[in-house]
Amino acid sequence: MVPTSEPGDSLAEPPVVRALRDALPGGSVLSDPDQMEGYRYDRAMTVRPGMPVAVVRAASSAEVQATLRIASQFATPVVTRGAGTGLSGGSAAVDGCITLSTERMREVRVDAAAMVATVQPGALNAEVKAEARRHGLWYPPDPSSFEICSIGGNLATNAGGLCCVRYGVTTDYVLGIEVVLADGRALRLGGKTIKDVAGYDLKRLFVGSEGTLGVITEATLRLRPLGPPLSTVAATFGDVVDCGRAVARIMAASRPSALELMDAAAIAAVERVRPMGFEPGVGALLIGQCPVDAAEGAQLAAACEGCDATYVAVTDDPDEGELLMGARRMAIPCVERLGTVLIEDIGVPIPSIPALVGAVAEVATRTDTMIPVIGHAGDGNFHPLVTFDPTDADARARAELAFDEIIEIALALGGTITGEHGVGSLKARHLSAQLGSDVVELTSTIKRALDPAGILNPGKWV
Ligand SMILES: Cc1cc2nc3c(=O)[nH]c(=O)nc-3n(C[C@H](O)[C@H](O)[C@H](O)COP(=O)(O)OP(=O)(O)OC[C@H]3O[C@@H](n4cnc5c(N)ncnc54)[C@H](O)[C@@H]3O)c2cc1C
């Protein structure tokens, strides 16, 4: 439990903080800089956060509404924060903002008959999965961070993950939301029904809007029956481009339950922390999963062999499978031990994967920058991890150049600057290159309609 500020010096506090203290229960409002420190950052290592004027730890939708009414009244920016695991600076504080934390809104209710979960935004993804499992059900979206990230953050970034290649991303599971607008009004959009075409599908406007249009205070999520046991295929390649060719071949013929890629530098970074037993010289690793009883495992292995894999193994042992997938999930923290990381999140059409991974390797060589590559390969979504020594100005400049060039390559291949992490502060300056001026203008019009004073997550991408 975080200690609360001493109310003794409340008279010296800015009026907006006094108004928050008057409106909200004791213990909800923090304004001591030491107490607020842990709420300033997300996991984007290069984004410099500002200093909030207060952190509100809301416990209910009504408290979120009260906070936004006060923020509107005082024209104070609001940065909504789930668990702060974002990789784009989306929940990083801006100077003078109210950081609105949902960490105390953790309720998860499963309606097993309707196969839905009604969830408060601060519940962790893993908590939703666990509660669904207790009812013999499954909530599939599984960002690698699923044990530490919130459902509110997942909705606000439209998070992806490992099994999304077969089962879809967060938005595919959102049936309804409650959202609080900048002026404090609460809206209910959608509900519990599977099909619903009454009016515009406004809930999808809020999913992926990164806290710029409203604060999601509740979500009704679709659940599935528990997934089948999985076979795991591991294939190594001498060259990452061959691995990319194998991905394209697999995806042309099937939909695996997961298809993850790690290049040589990513394998090496994980090997230092959690050895998987790979010899130096492996150019890339492809980890695929598919239901045990399907012929897909053999198909997947054959596609790898047909693309010059150097080694292919198939196992039905869930522990062996989890060992590999667990190692893949650890890749970002392992690379972060090697330096400061500018995390890319590009996506390209499947046939362009070989060209993309080849071009990233060329950028790494030319800019003399370490760029381990991991990716949800079956979705065409890759995370080149542009890594540099933060004390070396020249290395930083080369890394920034590499980061920009990789984004340009993805766009030239008909891709996106972000497949799942969101735009945040990190990629804001690249957004217009992807959207074009007409879409930027429409985006601004929608933003003005919902948040005329521009208080929600300002200075990010709208
Ligand atoms: C090791 C690691 C692995 C990761 N792997 C993946 C992955 O595989 N796939 C993936 O998609 N992401 C991944 N991520 C990124 C991150 O975990 C996700 O973006 C996650 O969805 C963020 O959730 P959060 O609760 O931490 O949100 P935060 O970081 O707190 O916020 C993210 C954004 O959502 C907004 N927001 C948060 N809650 C709300 C709300 N209730 N209403 C409105 N806006 C809100 C914030 O303002 C911010 O813009 C990974 C991160 C780490 C550290």
Side-chain angles (χ1 to χ4, degrees), residues 42-43 79-87 90-91 102 121 142-145 148-162 210-212 214-217 328-329 332-333 376 383 420-421 457:
D42 68 0
R43 293 283 296 262
V79 177
T80 309
R81 181 183 180 85
T85 70
L87 294 169
S91 63
T102 61
D142 61 343
S144 296
S145 52
I148 52 172
C149 62
S150 78
I151 283 293
N154 290 177
L155 263 70
T157 56
N158 190 11
L162 279 66
E210 299 183 45
T212 63
V215 180
I216 298 164
T217 47
R328 158 62 189 90
R329 279 195 289 267
I332 291 177
H376 308 300
H383 306 310
E420 58 178 16
H421 295 165
N457 224 353

Side-chain angles (χ1 to χ4, degrees), residues 41-47 84-92 143-145 148-149 157 210 328-329 332-333 336 341-345 374 376 383 385 403 418 420-427:
Y41 301 81
D42 68 0
R43 293 283 296 262
M45 292 175 94
T46 54
V47 171
T85 70
L87 294 169
S88 305
S91 63
S144 296
S145 52
I148 52 172
C149 62
T157 56
E210 299 183 45
R328 158 62 189 90
R329 279 195 289 267
I332 291 177
E336 284 173 345
V341 182
L342 276 160
I343 300 188
E344 300 269 14
D345 178 37
I374 56 172
H376 308 300
H383 306 310
L385 305 169
F403 184 84
T418 177
E420 58 178 16
H421 295 165
V423 179
S425 321
L426 189 59
K427 284 156 274 171

Side-chain angles (χ1 to χ4, degrees), residues 64-83:
V64 171
Q65 288 184 272
T67 303
L68 287 178
R69 277 190 209 108
I70 290 166
S72 278
Q73 191 189 336
F74 288 89
T76 303
V78 176
V79 177
T80 309
R81 181 183 180 85

